[in-house]
Amino acid sequence: MALDDLKSALPDYAKDLRLNLGSVIGNSELPQQRLWGTVLACAIASRSATVLRELAPEAKSRLSAEAYTAAKTAAAMMAMNNVFYRTRHLLSDPEYGSLRAGLRMNVIGNPGVERVDFEFWSLAVSAVNGCGLCLDAHERVLRKAGLDREAVQEAFKIASVIQAVGTTLDAEAVLAE
């Protein structure tokens, strides 16, 4: 299993990551589509080839073709939106906020899966990419849809662990050269 391979690849100093990876994925109470879509979207957002290579096949086996594509779509769209909206927010000139974005985002209106799942994946990727505006926007949609704070927090728990695993494994690969 790819999850076990990732856990065993982590160095001893990252034992907590090994345990967290097992718990946020292996002990999750999220519906399978929401969980594995989050795992895939975060693996993509982590930019770690190792993490993506190990987790994508497992996600593909647990998701419908539509959900697998939608999770990849969430990662792709948030890669663009997180940079755009984070930058617009960080600029001192508030007038940028009144300008039309002019970026195509049609897929967000019809992602091919339940809206709550797509928003959940988008929140998780926004956590990896650090866009406060996007985090707030997706969290509001999820809370309005009835998810409690504990459920929403699962998105950024998964995101934080997958990001940390990718960072650690990529650093170890470089240090081993």
mmCIF file of all heavy atoms in Angstrom, residues 6-55:
data_model
loop_
_atom_site.group_PDB
_atom_site.id
_atom_site.type_symbol
_atom_site.label_atom_id
_atom_site.label_comp_id
_atom_site.label_asym_id
_atom_site.label_seq_id
_atom_site.Cartn_x
_atom_site.Cartn_y
_atom_site.Cartn_z
ATOM 1 N N LEU A 6 4.912 5.469 2.105
ATOM 2 C CA LEU A 6 5.238 6.840 2.499
ATOM 3 C C LEU A 6 5.635 6.901 3.973
ATOM 4 O O LEU A 6 6.612 7.556 4.324
ATOM 5 C CB LEU A 6 4.038 7.773 2.277
ATOM 6 C CG LEU A 6 3.882 8.420 0.938
ATOM 7 C CD1 LEU A 6 2.660 9.325 0.916
ATOM 8 C CD2 LEU A 6 5.113 9.195 0.529
ATOM 9 N N LYS A 7 4.879 6.222 4.805
ATOM 10 C CA LYS A 7 5.181 6.244 6.237
ATOM 11 C C LYS A 7 6.553 5.645 6.508
ATOM 12 O O LYS A 7 7.329 6.195 7.290
ATOM 13 C CB LYS A 7 4.101 5.498 7.031
ATOM 14 C CG LYS A 7 2.782 6.252 7.054
ATOM 15 C CD LYS A 7 1.743 5.718 8.011
ATOM 16 C CE LYS A 7 1.491 4.249 7.945
ATOM 17 N NZ LYS A 7 0.323 3.827 8.730
ATOM 18 N N SER A 8 6.877 4.556 5.842
ATOM 19 C CA SER A 8 8.173 3.919 6.090
ATOM 20 C C SER A 8 9.332 4.724 5.499
ATOM 21 O O SER A 8 10.477 4.597 5.952
ATOM 22 C CB SER A 8 8.189 2.485 5.561
ATOM 23 O OG SER A 8 8.081 2.457 4.164
ATOM 24 N N ALA A 9 9.055 5.572 4.518
ATOM 25 C CA ALA A 9 10.107 6.402 3.924
ATOM 26 C C ALA A 9 10.474 7.599 4.807
ATOM 27 O O ALA A 9 11.540 8.191 4.634
ATOM 28 C CB ALA A 9 9.665 6.902 2.541
ATOM 29 N N LEU A 10 9.613 7.931 5.735
ATOM 30 C CA LEU A 10 9.892 9.085 6.607
ATOM 31 C C LEU A 10 11.006 8.748 7.590
ATOM 32 O O LEU A 10 11.026 7.664 8.176
ATOM 33 C CB LEU A 10 8.627 9.502 7.363
ATOM 34 C CG LEU A 10 7.571 10.203 6.513
ATOM 35 C CD1 LEU A 10 6.228 10.238 7.229
ATOM 36 C CD2 LEU A 10 8.037 11.610 6.155
ATOM 37 N N PRO A 11 11.940 9.673 7.787
ATOM 38 C CA PRO A 11 13.041 9.431 8.726
ATOM 39 C C PRO A 11 12.543 9.414 10.173
ATOM 40 O O PRO A 11 11.441 9.889 10.475
ATOM 41 C CB PRO A 11 13.983 10.611 8.475
ATOM 42 C CG PRO A 11 13.129 11.671 7.892
ATOM 43 C CD PRO A 11 12.037 10.980 7.138
ATOM 44 N N ASP A 12 13.366 8.874 11.049
ATOM 45 C CA ASP A 12 12.977 8.755 12.451
ATOM 46 C C ASP A 12 12.638 10.087 13.099
ATOM 47 O O ASP A 12 11.763 10.151 13.956
ATOM 48 C CB ASP A 12 14.082 8.054 13.255
ATOM 49 C CG ASP A 12 14.170 6.570 12.926
ATOM 50 O OD1 ASP A 12 13.168 6.012 12.413
ATOM 51 O OD2 ASP A 12 15.230 5.970 13.174
ATOM 52 N N TYR A 13 13.321 11.160 12.694
ATOM 53 C CA TYR A 13 13.030 12.454 13.302
ATOM 54 C C TYR A 13 11.622 12.948 12.956
ATOM 55 O O TYR A 13 11.099 13.856 13.585
ATOM 56 C CB TYR A 13 14.079 13.518 12.942
ATOM 57 C CG TYR A 13 14.084 13.991 11.506
ATOM 58 C CD1 TYR A 13 13.170 14.930 11.037
ATOM 59 C CD2 TYR A 13 15.026 13.498 10.609
ATOM 60 C CE1 TYR A 13 13.183 15.370 9.730
ATOM 61 C CE2 TYR A 13 15.060 13.941 9.298
ATOM 62 C CZ TYR A 13 14.130 14.871 8.864
ATOM 63 O OH TYR A 13 14.156 15.301 7.560
ATOM 64 N N ALA A 14 10.991 12.337 11.953
ATOM 65 C CA ALA A 14 9.643 12.717 11.541
ATOM 66 C C ALA A 14 8.614 11.667 11.958
ATOM 67 O O ALA A 14 7.589 11.489 11.295
ATOM 68 C CB ALA A 14 9.610 12.941 10.041
ATOM 69 N N LYS A 15 8.876 11.014 13.086
ATOM 70 C CA LYS A 15 7.958 9.978 13.581
ATOM 71 C C LYS A 15 6.542 10.529 13.766
ATOM 72 O O LYS A 15 5.559 9.854 13.474
ATOM 73 C CB LYS A 15 8.480 9.417 14.902
ATOM 74 C CG LYS A 15 7.578 8.367 15.507
ATOM 75 C CD LYS A 15 8.093 7.874 16.844
ATOM 76 C CE LYS A 15 7.118 6.864 17.420
ATOM 77 N NZ LYS A 15 7.514 6.424 18.749
ATOM 78 N N ASP A 16 6.442 11.764 14.260
ATOM 79 C CA ASP A 16 5.115 12.350 14.448
ATOM 80 C C ASP A 16 4.374 12.469 13.125
ATOM 81 O O ASP A 16 3.160 12.249 13.058
ATOM 82 C CB ASP A 16 5.207 13.719 15.127
ATOM 83 C CG ASP A 16 5.586 13.610 16.596
ATOM 84 O OD1 ASP A 16 5.313 12.563 17.221
ATOM 85 O OD2 ASP A 16 6.167 14.577 17.113
ATOM 86 N N LEU A 17 5.086 12.806 12.057
ATOM 87 C CA LEU A 17 4.447 12.873 10.744
ATOM 88 C C LEU A 17 3.960 11.497 10.312
ATOM 89 O O LEU A 17 2.874 11.366 9.731
ATOM 90 C CB LEU A 17 5.404 13.428 9.694
ATOM 91 C CG LEU A 17 5.821 14.885 9.845
ATOM 92 C CD1 LEU A 17 6.773 15.273 8.718
ATOM 93 C CD2 LEU A 17 4.620 15.800 9.881
ATOM 94 N N ARG A 18 4.753 10.486 10.569
ATOM 95 C CA ARG A 18 4.374 9.116 10.227
ATOM 96 C C ARG A 18 3.064 8.748 10.922
ATOM 97 O O ARG A 18 2.132 8.222 10.305
ATOM 98 C CB ARG A 18 5.497 8.158 10.648
ATOM 99 C CG ARG A 18 5.288 6.724 10.220
ATOM 100 C CD ARG A 18 6.440 5.814 10.660
ATOM 101 N NE ARG A 18 7.738 6.342 10.263
ATOM 102 C CZ ARG A 18 8.756 6.545 11.118
ATOM 103 N NH1 ARG A 18 8.626 6.257 12.400
ATOM 104 N NH2 ARG A 18 9.901 7.013 10.684
ATOM 105 N N LEU A 19 2.991 9.050 12.208
ATOM 106 C CA LEU A 19 1.785 8.738 12.979
ATOM 107 C C LEU A 19 0.601 9.587 12.508
ATOM 108 O O LEU A 19 -0.522 9.081 12.379
ATOM 109 C CB LEU A 19 2.047 8.959 14.469
ATOM 110 C CG LEU A 19 3.096 8.032 15.090
ATOM 111 C CD1 LEU A 19 3.439 8.480 16.504
ATOM 112 C CD2 LEU A 19 2.619 6.589 15.068
ATOM 113 N N ASN A 20 0.860 10.870 12.253
ATOM 114 C CA ASN A 20 -0.219 11.755 11.793
ATOM 115 C C ASN A 20 -0.742 11.348 10.422
ATOM 116 O O ASN A 20 -1.950 11.407 10.174
ATOM 117 C CB ASN A 20 0.255 13.207 11.765
ATOM 118 C CG ASN A 20 0.406 13.786 13.152
ATOM 119 O OD1 ASN A 20 -0.245 13.366 14.100
ATOM 120 N ND2 ASN A 20 1.286 14.762 13.280
ATOM 121 N N LEU A 21 0.147 10.932 9.535
ATOM 122 C CA LEU A 21 -0.280 10.498 8.205
ATOM 123 C C LEU A 21 -1.223 9.307 8.332
ATOM 124 O O LEU A 21 -2.265 9.257 7.678
ATOM 125 C CB LEU A 21 0.938 10.148 7.343
ATOM 126 C CG LEU A 21 0.673 9.814 5.883
ATOM 127 C CD1 LEU A 21 0.027 10.986 5.163
ATOM 128 C CD2 LEU A 21 1.972 9.415 5.193
ATOM 129 N N GLY A 22 -0.846 8.374 9.190
ATOM 130 C CA GLY A 22 -1.711 7.218 9.402
ATOM 131 C C GLY A 22 -3.059 7.594 9.997
ATOM 132 O O GLY A 22 -4.091 7.039 9.612
ATOM 133 N N SER A 23 -3.066 8.554 10.903
ATOM 134 C CA SER A 23 -4.337 8.894 11.558
ATOM 135 C C SER A 23 -5.234 9.788 10.703
ATOM 136 O O SER A 23 -6.436 9.559 10.654
ATOM 137 C CB SER A 23 -4.099 9.509 12.933
ATOM 138 O OG SER A 23 -3.561 10.793 12.838
ATOM 139 N N VAL A 24 -4.681 10.794 10.031
ATOM 140 C CA VAL A 24 -5.573 11.681 9.276
ATOM 141 C C VAL A 24 -6.176 10.994 8.056
ATOM 142 O O VAL A 24 -7.259 11.377 7.601
ATOM 143 C CB VAL A 24 -4.912 13.026 8.851
ATOM 144 C CG1 VAL A 24 -4.479 13.824 10.044
ATOM 145 C CG2 VAL A 24 -3.807 12.833 7.850
ATOM 146 N N ILE A 25 -5.501 9.976 7.550
ATOM 147 C CA ILE A 25 -6.064 9.239 6.419
ATOM 148 C C ILE A 25 -6.703 7.934 6.895
ATOM 149 O O ILE A 25 -7.857 7.658 6.602
ATOM 150 C CB ILE A 25 -4.997 8.959 5.338
ATOM 151 C CG1 ILE A 25 -4.506 10.278 4.743
ATOM 152 C CG2 ILE A 25 -5.562 8.057 4.239
ATOM 153 C CD1 ILE A 25 -3.363 10.141 3.759
ATOM 154 N N GLY A 26 -5.958 7.157 7.669
ATOM 155 C CA GLY A 26 -6.433 5.838 8.072
ATOM 156 C C GLY A 26 -7.560 5.838 9.083
ATOM 157 O O GLY A 26 -8.367 4.913 9.112
ATOM 158 N N ASN A 27 -7.648 6.873 9.908
ATOM 159 C CA ASN A 27 -8.682 6.919 10.940
ATOM 160 C C ASN A 27 -9.728 7.993 10.679
ATOM 161 O O ASN A 27 -10.492 8.339 11.574
ATOM 162 C CB ASN A 27 -8.044 7.168 12.321
ATOM 163 C CG ASN A 27 -7.092 6.062 12.712
ATOM 164 O OD1 ASN A 27 -7.221 4.929 12.287
ATOM 165 N ND2 ASN A 27 -6.101 6.408 13.514
ATOM 166 N N SER A 28 -9.765 8.502 9.488
ATOM 167 C CA SER A 28 -10.694 9.586 9.164
ATOM 168 C C SER A 28 -12.132 9.082 9.150
ATOM 169 O O SER A 28 -12.410 7.975 8.691
ATOM 170 C CB SER A 28 -10.360 10.183 7.799
ATOM 171 O OG SER A 28 -11.310 11.173 7.467
ATOM 172 N N GLU A 29 -13.017 9.920 9.634
ATOM 173 C CA GLU A 29 -14.446 9.616 9.580
ATOM 174 C C GLU A 29 -15.133 10.320 8.415
ATOM 175 O O GLU A 29 -16.353 10.273 8.289
ATOM 176 C CB GLU A 29 -15.101 9.992 10.911
ATOM 177 C CG GLU A 29 -14.598 9.128 12.056
ATOM 178 C CD GLU A 29 -15.260 9.458 13.389
ATOM 179 O OE1 GLU A 29 -16.282 10.179 13.403
ATOM 180 O OE2 GLU A 29 -14.752 8.987 14.405
ATOM 181 N N LEU A 30 -14.342 10.970 7.571
ATOM 182 C CA LEU A 30 -14.910 11.630 6.397
ATOM 183 C C LEU A 30 -15.453 10.589 5.423
ATOM 184 O O LEU A 30 -14.927 9.469 5.345
ATOM 185 C CB LEU A 30 -13.840 12.455 5.677
ATOM 186 C CG LEU A 30 -13.304 13.681 6.388
ATOM 187 C CD1 LEU A 30 -12.121 14.256 5.607
ATOM 188 C CD2 LEU A 30 -14.390 14.724 6.563
ATOM 189 N N PRO A 31 -16.477 10.951 4.643
ATOM 190 C CA PRO A 31 -16.898 10.048 3.561
ATOM 191 C C PRO A 31 -15.709 9.787 2.639
ATOM 192 O O PRO A 31 -14.857 10.661 2.439
ATOM 193 C CB PRO A 31 -17.993 10.848 2.847
ATOM 194 C CG PRO A 31 -18.442 11.895 3.821
ATOM 195 C CD PRO A 31 -17.266 12.185 4.697
ATOM 196 N N GLN A 32 -15.633 8.606 2.072
ATOM 197 C CA GLN A 32 -14.478 8.201 1.263
ATOM 198 C C GLN A 32 -14.181 9.167 0.114
ATOM 199 O O GLN A 32 -13.020 9.472 -0.143
ATOM 200 C CB GLN A 32 -14.678 6.779 0.719
ATOM 201 C CG GLN A 32 -14.520 5.710 1.774
ATOM 202 C CD GLN A 32 -13.104 5.660 2.322
ATOM 203 O OE1 GLN A 32 -12.167 5.328 1.615
ATOM 204 N NE2 GLN A 32 -12.936 6.004 3.588
ATOM 205 N N GLN A 33 -15.211 9.637 -0.568
ATOM 206 C CA GLN A 33 -14.957 10.557 -1.678
ATOM 207 C C GLN A 33 -14.331 11.848 -1.166
ATOM 208 O O GLN A 33 -13.382 12.364 -1.753
ATOM 209 C CB GLN A 33 -16.253 10.855 -2.434
ATOM 210 C CG GLN A 33 -16.037 11.875 -3.553
ATOM 211 C CD GLN A 33 -17.231 12.011 -4.455
ATOM 212 O OE1 GLN A 33 -17.548 11.084 -5.189
ATOM 213 N NE2 GLN A 33 -17.889 13.170 -4.422
ATOM 214 N N ARG A 34 -14.847 12.378 -0.067
ATOM 215 C CA ARG A 34 -14.303 13.626 0.471
ATOM 216 C C ARG A 34 -12.866 13.418 0.939
ATOM 217 O O ARG A 34 -11.995 14.235 0.679
ATOM 218 C CB ARG A 34 -15.186 14.121 1.617
ATOM 219 C CG ARG A 34 -14.847 15.529 2.047
ATOM 220 C CD ARG A 34 -15.944 16.126 2.907
ATOM 221 N NE ARG A 34 -17.204 16.145 2.179
ATOM 222 C CZ ARG A 34 -18.410 16.095 2.751
ATOM 223 N NH1 ARG A 34 -18.522 16.061 4.057
ATOM 224 N NH2 ARG A 34 -19.502 16.102 2.018
ATOM 225 N N LEU A 35 -12.620 12.316 1.628
ATOM 226 C CA LEU A 35 -11.278 12.022 2.133
ATOM 227 C C LEU A 35 -10.278 11.871 0.994
ATOM 228 O O LEU A 35 -9.254 12.560 0.960
ATOM 229 C CB LEU A 35 -11.300 10.747 2.977
ATOM 230 C CG LEU A 35 -9.936 10.178 3.360
ATOM 231 C CD1 LEU A 35 -9.183 11.142 4.271
ATOM 232 C CD2 LEU A 35 -10.095 8.803 3.998
ATOM 233 N N TRP A 36 -10.547 10.980 0.059
ATOM 234 C CA TRP A 36 -9.552 10.671 -0.968
ATOM 235 C C TRP A 36 -9.429 11.771 -2.014
ATOM 236 O O TRP A 36 -8.362 11.969 -2.597
ATOM 237 C CB TRP A 36 -9.812 9.293 -1.569
ATOM 238 C CG TRP A 36 -9.349 8.273 -0.590
ATOM 239 C CD1 TRP A 36 -10.113 7.571 0.303
ATOM 240 C CD2 TRP A 36 -7.997 7.918 -0.327
ATOM 241 N NE1 TRP A 36 -9.309 6.790 1.094
ATOM 242 C CE2 TRP A 36 -8.004 6.977 0.732
ATOM 243 C CE3 TRP A 36 -6.774 8.291 -0.870
ATOM 244 C CZ2 TRP A 36 -6.834 6.409 1.231
ATOM 245 C CZ3 TRP A 36 -5.610 7.717 -0.371
ATOM 246 C CH2 TRP A 36 -5.651 6.795 0.665
ATOM 247 N N GLY A 37 -10.488 12.544 -2.217
ATOM 248 C CA GLY A 37 -10.351 13.727 -3.060
ATOM 249 C C GLY A 37 -9.451 14.763 -2.404
ATOM 250 O O GLY A 37 -8.632 15.405 -3.066
ATOM 251 N N THR A 38 -9.568 14.890 -1.079
ATOM 252 C CA THR A 38 -8.704 15.806 -0.334
ATOM 253 C C THR A 38 -7.259 15.337 -0.394
ATOM 254 O O THR A 38 -6.343 16.135 -0.615
ATOM 255 C CB THR A 38 -9.165 15.911 1.132
ATOM 256 O OG1 THR A 38 -10.543 16.280 1.177
ATOM 257 C CG2 THR A 38 -8.338 16.920 1.910
ATOM 258 N N VAL A 39 -7.053 14.051 -0.210
ATOM 259 C CA VAL A 39 -5.702 13.490 -0.273
ATOM 260 C C VAL A 39 -5.083 13.764 -1.637
ATOM 261 O O VAL A 39 -3.940 14.233 -1.732
ATOM 262 C CB VAL A 39 -5.726 11.976 0.040
ATOM 263 C CG1 VAL A 39 -4.387 11.323 -0.286
ATOM 264 C CG2 VAL A 39 -6.104 11.733 1.506
ATOM 265 N N LEU A 40 -5.820 13.497 -2.708
ATOM 266 C CA LEU A 40 -5.282 13.709 -4.052
ATOM 267 C C LEU A 40 -5.004 15.187 -4.317
ATOM 268 O O LEU A 40 -3.921 15.544 -4.792
ATOM 269 C CB LEU A 40 -6.247 13.157 -5.106
ATOM 270 C CG LEU A 40 -5.822 13.372 -6.556
ATOM 271 C CD1 LEU A 40 -4.485 12.701 -6.858
ATOM 272 C CD2 LEU A 40 -6.917 12.881 -7.505
ATOM 273 N N ALA A 41 -5.967 16.050 -4.009
ATOM 274 C CA ALA A 41 -5.784 17.479 -4.268
ATOM 275 C C ALA A 41 -4.591 18.023 -3.481
ATOM 276 O O ALA A 41 -3.794 18.810 -4.004
ATOM 277 C CB ALA A 41 -7.060 18.241 -3.923
ATOM 278 N N CYS A 42 -4.443 17.580 -2.241
ATOM 279 C CA CYS A 42 -3.316 18.054 -1.419
ATOM 280 C C CYS A 42 -1.988 17.465 -1.889
ATOM 281 O O CYS A 42 -0.956 18.135 -1.818
ATOM 282 C CB CYS A 42 -3.553 17.735 0.054
ATOM 283 S SG CYS A 42 -4.855 18.746 0.776
ATOM 284 N N ALA A 43 -2.003 16.236 -2.354
ATOM 285 C CA ALA A 43 -0.776 15.644 -2.898
ATOM 286 C C ALA A 43 -0.311 16.438 -4.119
ATOM 287 O O ALA A 43 0.881 16.710 -4.277
ATOM 288 C CB ALA A 43 -1.006 14.179 -3.261
ATOM 289 N N ILE A 44 -1.249 16.844 -4.952
ATOM 290 C CA ILE A 44 -0.901 17.669 -6.110
ATOM 291 C C ILE A 44 -0.377 19.022 -5.633
ATOM 292 O O ILE A 44 0.665 19.502 -6.091
ATOM 293 C CB ILE A 44 -2.119 17.845 -7.040
ATOM 294 C CG1 ILE A 44 -2.485 16.507 -7.687
ATOM 295 C CG2 ILE A 44 -1.854 18.922 -8.096
ATOM 296 C CD1 ILE A 44 -3.834 16.496 -8.390
ATOM 297 N N ALA A 45 -1.093 19.638 -4.697
ATOM 298 C CA ALA A 45 -0.705 20.968 -4.206
ATOM 299 C C ALA A 45 0.631 20.958 -3.479
ATOM 300 O O ALA A 45 1.334 21.968 -3.460
ATOM 301 C CB ALA A 45 -1.789 21.524 -3.286
ATOM 302 N N SER A 46 1.009 19.814 -2.922
ATOM 303 C CA SER A 46 2.278 19.727 -2.190
ATOM 304 C C SER A 46 3.482 19.876 -3.110
ATOM 305 O O SER A 46 4.589 20.152 -2.658
ATOM 306 C CB SER A 46 2.381 18.397 -1.435
ATOM 307 O OG SER A 46 2.708 17.325 -2.304
ATOM 308 N N ARG A 47 3.275 19.653 -4.400
ATOM 309 C CA ARG A 47 4.338 19.724 -5.405
ATOM 310 C C ARG A 47 5.442 18.685 -5.177
ATOM 311 O O ARG A 47 6.554 18.835 -5.662
ATOM 312 C CB ARG A 47 4.942 21.126 -5.481
ATOM 313 C CG ARG A 47 3.989 22.207 -5.895
ATOM 314 C CD ARG A 47 4.645 23.593 -5.823
ATOM 315 N NE ARG A 47 3.698 24.653 -6.025
ATOM 316 C CZ ARG A 47 2.992 25.238 -5.056
ATOM 317 N NH1 ARG A 47 3.111 24.841 -3.813
ATOM 318 N NH2 ARG A 47 2.157 26.210 -5.329
ATOM 319 N N SER A 48 5.130 17.669 -4.415
ATOM 320 C CA SER A 48 6.100 16.609 -4.155
ATOM 321 C C SER A 48 5.795 15.426 -5.071
ATOM 322 O O SER A 48 4.746 14.782 -4.939
ATOM 323 C CB SER A 48 6.018 16.158 -2.690
ATOM 324 O OG SER A 48 6.786 14.987 -2.501
ATOM 325 N N ALA A 49 6.707 15.152 -5.970
ATOM 326 C CA ALA A 49 6.525 14.024 -6.889
ATOM 327 C C ALA A 49 6.390 12.712 -6.119
ATOM 328 O O ALA A 49 5.590 11.853 -6.485
ATOM 329 C CB ALA A 49 7.682 13.962 -7.877
ATOM 330 N N THR A 50 7.148 12.566 -5.051
ATOM 331 C CA THR A 50 7.099 11.334 -4.260
ATOM 332 C C THR A 50 5.723 11.143 -3.646
ATOM 333 O O THR A 50 5.131 10.063 -3.739
ATOM 334 C CB THR A 50 8.168 11.368 -3.147
ATOM 335 O OG1 THR A 50 9.447 11.535 -3.755
ATOM 336 C CG2 THR A 50 8.147 10.107 -2.313
ATOM 337 N N VAL A 51 5.216 12.171 -3.017
ATOM 338 C CA VAL A 51 3.898 12.078 -2.373
ATOM 339 C C VAL A 51 2.820 11.812 -3.416
ATOM 340 O O VAL A 51 1.971 10.937 -3.237
ATOM 341 C CB VAL A 51 3.605 13.357 -1.559
ATOM 342 C CG1 VAL A 51 2.148 13.426 -1.137
ATOM 343 C CG2 VAL A 51 4.507 13.419 -0.336
ATOM 344 N N LEU A 52 2.846 12.537 -4.513
ATOM 345 C CA LEU A 52 1.840 12.339 -5.551
ATOM 346 C C LEU A 52 1.935 10.945 -6.158
ATOM 347 O O LEU A 52 0.921 10.264 -6.356
ATOM 348 C CB LEU A 52 1.988 13.411 -6.634
ATOM 349 C CG LEU A 52 0.936 13.398 -7.739
ATOM 350 C CD1 LEU A 52 -0.470 13.514 -7.173
ATOM 351 C CD2 LEU A 52 1.211 14.517 -8.728
ATOM 352 N N ARG A 53 3.146 10.499 -6.438
ATOM 353 C CA ARG A 53 3.353 9.171 -7.027
ATOM 354 C C ARG A 53 2.809 8.074 -6.113
ATOM 355 O O ARG A 53 2.255 7.080 -6.588
ATOM 356 C CB ARG A 53 4.846 8.956 -7.277
ATOM 357 C CG ARG A 53 5.173 7.777 -8.161
ATOM 358 C CD ARG A 53 6.674 7.650 -8.441
ATOM 359 N NE ARG A 53 7.235 8.859 -9.034
ATOM 360 C CZ ARG A 53 8.120 9.665 -8.430
ATOM 361 N NH1 ARG A 53 8.564 9.397 -7.222
ATOM 362 N NH2 ARG A 53 8.581 10.739 -9.037
ATOM 363 N N GLU A 54 2.955 8.246 -4.817
ATOM 364 C CA GLU A 54 2.510 7.225 -3.870
ATOM 365 C C GLU A 54 1.010 7.282 -3.585
ATOM 366 O O GLU A 54 0.376 6.242 -3.408
ATOM 367 C CB GLU A 54 3.292 7.332 -2.556
ATOM 368 C CG GLU A 54 4.760 6.998 -2.679
ATOM 369 C CD GLU A 54 5.032 5.573 -3.133
ATOM 370 O OE1 GLU A 54 4.263 4.655 -2.771
ATOM 371 O OE2 GLU A 54 6.014 5.367 -3.866
ATOM 372 N N LEU A 55 0.436 8.475 -3.513
ATOM 373 C CA LEU A 55 -0.958 8.599 -3.097
ATOM 374 C C LEU A 55 -1.960 8.608 -4.247
ATOM 375 O O LEU A 55 -3.111 8.205 -4.062
ATOM 376 C CB LEU A 55 -1.140 9.847 -2.234
ATOM 377 C CG LEU A 55 -0.442 9.806 -0.877
ATOM 378 C CD1 LEU A 55 -0.630 11.120 -0.136
ATOM 379 C CD2 LEU A 55 -0.925 8.632 -0.032
#
